[in-house]
Amino acid sequence: MATLTVREALSQALWEEMEANSKIILLGEEIGVWGGTYAVTRGFHDHFGAERVRDTPISESAIVGAAIGAAMTGLRPVAELMTINFAFSAFDMIVNQAAKLHYMFNGQVNLPLIIRTPSGGGRQLGATHSQTPDAIFAHFPGLRVVAPATPRDSKGMLKQALRQNDPVLFIENATLYQQRGDVPDGDVTVPLDKSVLARAGKDVTLVTYSKMYYATMKAAEQLAAEGIQAEVIDLRCLRPLDMEPVVESVKKTNRAVVVEEGWMSYGVGAEVSARLQSECFDFLDAPVKRVAQAEVPLPYNQRLEQMALPDQEKIVRAAKEVLYV
Amino acid sequence: MKSKQDFLSGYRHMVAIRRLEEKSAELYQQGKIGGFLHLYIGQEAVAVGMAAAITKHDHVITAYRDHGVAYSVGMPAKIILAEMLGKATGCSGGKGGSMHLVDPKLNFWGGHAIVGSHLPLAAGIATSLQYQKLDGVVVCMFGDGATNIGYFHEALNLSKVWKLPVVWLCENNSYGMGTAVDRASAVHSMCQKAEGYGMANACVDGMDLEAVYGGVSNAAAHARSGAGPFFLEVQTYRFRGHSMGDPERYRTAEEIKHWQDGDPITALRKAILAKQMGTEAELDALDREVDVEIAAAEQYAEESPEPADAALWQHVFSESPNGRA
């Protein structure tokens, strides 16, 4: 067992898989000579060479489109988009090409490609650079959407993604790259379709993923100090969405709060809530509560931005609301 | 194109595409083909000349006006018609339709219906060939209208920066849907756009099979030599509307007549006779052969089964037995 940052975990996953499989190539802006804007690929250009670690022009559609073309013809490209906010510039490529071609061509074409990109706000980057639009991408059948929180899951899910044949939107979080955690030594893989129980409890179920995992775990600690045992489920994957551990938990706790960094409307919380009411309606003792971002474009001002984002305190409050305490 | 066989084969393919398209129009009018239908009538020399100029190691990708291209690269007429009729025996089991014909075994990668979306994919296929040091070039076909969308510029730029083995084959038929080139494009010569990327380019007569063959041969040789992409503009004309639902308000009967006087099939027939590459009797025999082929193709498509209900859920993801995710 080693303690790694998310950055190191992602970097190791890519490095190890690239050493093992020459079909893997990387492409994106500033991933080569610069070493990656979040330094995930630092050292890769020197070690693997410019043919495998390809600096691209600022052309998001061409980056994702080239990855699709390369994947169709036998490579395993990993396209890096500097932020998920730039993924809108490649939206058609992601949701209309990557997500469609395998089905539309009746399984004759595989698209083993990964699009890595950081999501999330809280860094005073203003409205256009601070979004958490994860749910939008999870709307499309044919695209796997994952968003690990921990270094272990980051490494394991990236390695898993590099060994399967579907397009994967691999959502990272810009504020989590320095987050530390235990990662097992040796080869580690984590499935791309399984939610996980992150903390056991009996009083209320907190469902979350990615960055909000940490605020939720802290909220659970705070609640524990007040005598409330919260169970925490880390979704890890948004499509396909594994509801089994969530439903199992809610059948026990009878109460649920869904926590996400993105906006509430049409979001992950909306989906999880809808599925809970259809899958375990009779077990619910309170309406499912959602904690999410205020429905405004995020402002630059630090105090205003933080007001808009979900945090530990808002999660604790929501948990108490569904417990009527 | 040197031998009698080359000329007669070219003639046969062009006539077959013409008859196939006439049959498609008929089946569309009968309500047997759904969705949109974009006919290749008038442009036959482009696809046939292109296919004659490339090798089995080369790759082809095109837009939604794809029936003639699919036929030229070796997809049987019966498979094309079956796909248009939505049958299980179609190239994609009836899931792709007229605009999305594909066959990876022929190195034919579609059939893409979002204008320009396949240009980045072509760059990716070329990246794959370049990285794997495979002998082959990509011929990417698109209309003049596609030169006005961002994909075109991102893909051309990337292909030049990376010196990719691509032939950008622009079928300039003077209209993007109903908007003439001079109403939609800042420059009227498509080659001028290639000049903007410092790309080798040429323009040939797309109504002349030999000219297209020569143009694509030179372009492919350039791309194959490692010298990077080549931009080839062919001037052609579609005799029918953009799609079957075209009100035809944007061009005159005189203009259509002018181009029909230069019908590529009539022109080729004359050239064959003049060059003594075939006789009237031989050409007539080919016409009859084609009639039999298309009639048999229609019968095959009509008699083919519908896809099974289970097909609905197949191939959403590659490894999932059913795609309910």
Side-chain angles (χ1 to χ4, degrees):
Chain A
M1 194 77 83
T3 302
L4 300 179
T5 62
V6 166
R7 171 184 292 116
E8 289 163 345
L10 293 167
S11 188
Q12 279 188 8
L14 283 173
W15 188 284
E16 290 169 16
E17 294 300 303
M18 285 179 77
E19 289 284 15
N21 186 350
S22 66
K23 301 279 187 193
I24 299 171
I25 63 164
L26 312 183
L27 61 168
E29 295 155 13
E30 309 298 354
I31 64 166
V33 175
W34 185 297
T37 41
Y38 293 103
V40 172
T41 53
R42 184 174 294 161
F44 280 54
H45 189 263
D46 288 346
H47 183 74
F48 293 105
E51 284 290 302
R52 288 189 81 182
V53 183
R54 290 175 170 252
D55 278 322
T56 66
I58 301 170
S59 304
E60 277 76 15
S61 285
I63 293 167
V64 179
I68 294 169
M72 285 165 78
T73 46
L75 296 188
R76 289 188 171 273
V78 181
E80 179 173 318
L81 297 178
M82 206 178 282
T83 103
I84 201 165
N85 301 283
F86 302 169
F88 297 127
S89 295
F91 198 61
D92 174 70
M93 282 296 145
I94 299 168
V95 307
N96 220 5
Q97 313 301 329
K100 302 290 192 291
L101 297 182
H102 181 70
Y103 185 86
M104 194 168 77
F105 292 163
N106 207 27
Q108 297 174 91
V109 169
N110 280 334
L111 295 170
L113 75 105
I114 298 173
I115 302 160
R116 286 185 44 238
T117 189
S119 184
R123 296 188 303 145
Q124 285 198 273
L125 295 174
T128 63
H129 267 60
S130 304
Q131 298 167 99
T132 312
D134 313 351
I136 294 176
F137 294 93
H139 186 63
F140 296 88
L143 182 69
R144 292 186 185 273
V145 179
V146 303
T150 65
R152 176 185 178 276
D153 287 347
S154 298
K155 181 168 182 182
M157 291 170 80
L158 188 50
K159 284 175 82 87
Q160 182 64 32
L162 285 161
R163 297 178 189 183
Q164 56 82 62
N165 287 326
D166 295 318
V168 179
L169 181 66
F170 196 96
I171 299 175
E172 300 164 10
N173 189 293
T175 63
L176 288 186
Y177 287 115
Q178 296 285 51
Q179 186 70 44
R180 289 182 178 279
D182 289 338
V183 179
D185 295 326
D187 196 34
V188 50
T189 60
V190 173
L192 303 182
D193 57 357
K194 292 277 179 281
S195 303
V196 65
L197 176 72
R199 178 191 171 106
K202 61 177 176 50
D203 299 325
V204 58
T205 303
L206 308 178
V207 184
T208 188
Y209 75 97
S210 190
K211 184 186 181 182
M212 283 300 119
Y213 162 85
Y214 293 97
T216 305
M217 291 296 271
K218 281 194 182 135
E221 274 173 39
Q222 188 184 330
L223 288 164
E226 299 180 36
I228 298 166
Q229 301 303 321
E231 185 145 295
V232 178
I233 309 288
D234 179 2
L235 293 174
R236 302 194 292 198
C237 314
L238 301 183
R239 183 180 279 271
L241 179 61
D242 175 24
M243 283 296 290
E244 206 174 298
V246 183
V247 170
E248 212 173 289
S249 174
V250 171
K251 282 183 175 173
K252 185 171 64 182
T253 65
N254 312 111
R255 294 157 205 279
V257 173
V258 192
V259 185
E260 67 191 301
E261 188 180 346
W263 293 299
M264 185 180 287
S265 299
Y266 311 98
V268 174
E271 182 63 31
V272 171
S273 307
R275 294 210 199 186
L276 280 175
Q277 67 86 20
S278 69
E279 289 178 38
C280 55
F281 182 75
D282 290 338
F283 291 87
L284 286 169
D285 286 346
V288 177
K289 193 94 194 159
R290 291 178 283 165
V291 178
Q293 190 175 130
E295 305 253 339
V296 296
L298 276 186
Y300 162 74
N301 176 278
Q302 190 175 34
R303 193 177 55 82
L304 293 179
E305 183 182 29
Q306 290 304 320
M307 273 171 65
L309 291 168
D311 58 20
Q312 181 181 338
E313 189 193 323
K314 289 169 187 166
I315 300 165
V316 166
R317 202 183 313 141
K320 288 180 178 175
E321 278 174 31
V322 299
L323 283 157
Y324 302 113
V325 294
Chain B
M1 287 187 59
K2 292 192 188 82
S3 70
K4 179 173 175 175
Q5 174 56 28
D6 294 338
F7 279 91
L8 293 183
S9 168
Y11 176 81
R12 193 192 185 290
H13 275 82
M14 285 170 61
V15 173
I17 292 169
R18 180 70 57 92
R19 297 288 101 81
L20 172 68
E21 293 295 56
E22 287 164 355
K23 181 56 70 184
S24 306
E26 189 186 316
L27 292 169
Y28 189 83
Q29 276 148 357
Q30 290 169 13
K32 289 176 179 169
I33 294 176
F36 296 141
L37 186 74
H38 308 86
L39 302 178
Y40 203 61
I41 292 175
Q43 300 182 211
E44 295 92 342
V46 183
V48 174
M50 176 280 297
I54 62 173
T55 76
K56 65 178 176 9
H57 302 294
D58 297 330
H59 297 251
V60 175
I61 189 166
T62 189
Y64 48 85
R65 199 176 300 285
D66 59 351
H67 318 151
V69 179
Y71 185 85
S72 297
V73 299
M75 191 183 292
K78 65 179 187 179
I79 303 299
I80 297 172
L81 282 178
E83 184 63 27
M84 289 196 222
L85 265 61
K87 297 299 183 71
T89 54
C91 62
S92 292
K95 283 162 109 170
S98 155
M99 302 191 286
H100 306 120
L101 302 175
V102 71
D103 189 346
K105 293 187 294 299
L106 297 170
N107 288 343
F108 175 54
W109 301 102
H112 295 266
I114 303 292
V115 172
S117 68
H118 61 296
L119 277 74
L121 274 57
I125 297 168
T127 302
S128 196
L129 295 173
Q130 185 188 60
Y131 174 71
Q132 297 180 84
K133 300 187 167 52
L134 296 174
D135 175 32
V137 303
V138 183
V139 178
C140 178
M141 303 172 75
F142 50 92
D144 47 276
T147 68
N148 300 318
I149 195 164
Y151 293 133
F152 171 85
H153 300 278
E154 290 195 15
L156 257 71
N157 181 60
L158 187 71
S159 73
K160 186 67 175 20
V161 172
W162 286 358
K163 289 181 82 173
L164 297 174
V166 191
V167 174
W168 300 112
L169 178 50
C170 179
E171 295 185 81
N172 184 351
N173 65 13
S174 299
Y175 295 93
M177 284 191 75
T179 306
V181 164
D182 59 9
R183 294 174 60 215
S185 180
V187 294
H188 307 158
S189 155
M190 300 298 114
C191 283
Q192 212 177 328
K193 297 188 180 183
E195 288 287 338
Y197 296 103
M199 194 179 293
N201 63 86
C203 182
V204 299
D205 179 1
M207 307 305 270
D208 178 343
L209 181 70
E210 284 185 84
V212 174
Y213 173 85
V216 175
S217 298
N218 291 339
H222 176 96
R224 212 182 299 283
S225 73
F230 192 98
F231 186 93
L232 181 67
E233 176 180 0
V234 298
Q235 284 170 327
T236 183
Y237 199 77
R238 58 172 161 72
F239 294 170
R240 300 291 186 95
H242 162 76
S243 65
M244 295 297 284
D246 185 337
E248 291 269 14
R249 291 200 190 99
Y250 52 87
R251 55 186 189 178
T252 62
E254 293 73 36
E255 180 185 305
I256 297 171
K257 168 84 172 47
H258 167 76
W259 281 90
Q260 281 175 334
D261 288 344
D263 188 314
I265 295 176
T266 314
L268 179 62
R269 201 177 162 102
K270 276 186 197 150
I272 288 171
L273 295 172
K275 289 173 195 278
Q276 296 185 321
M277 286 291 179
T279 64
E280 290 273 6
E282 283 170 320
L283 295 170
D284 290 347
L286 290 176
D287 289 348
R288 285 192 297 276
E289 233 180 82
V290 165
D291 289 342
V292 171
E293 178 187 337
I294 300 302
E298 179 190 11
Q299 190 183 354
Y300 176 86
E302 293 263 22
E303 291 174 358
S304 285
E306 283 278 308
D309 290 358
L312 177 65
W313 298 102
Q314 281 165 356
H315 305 306
V316 176
F317 287 135
S318 63
E319 284 144 341
S320 135
N322 71 42
R324 287 169 214 264

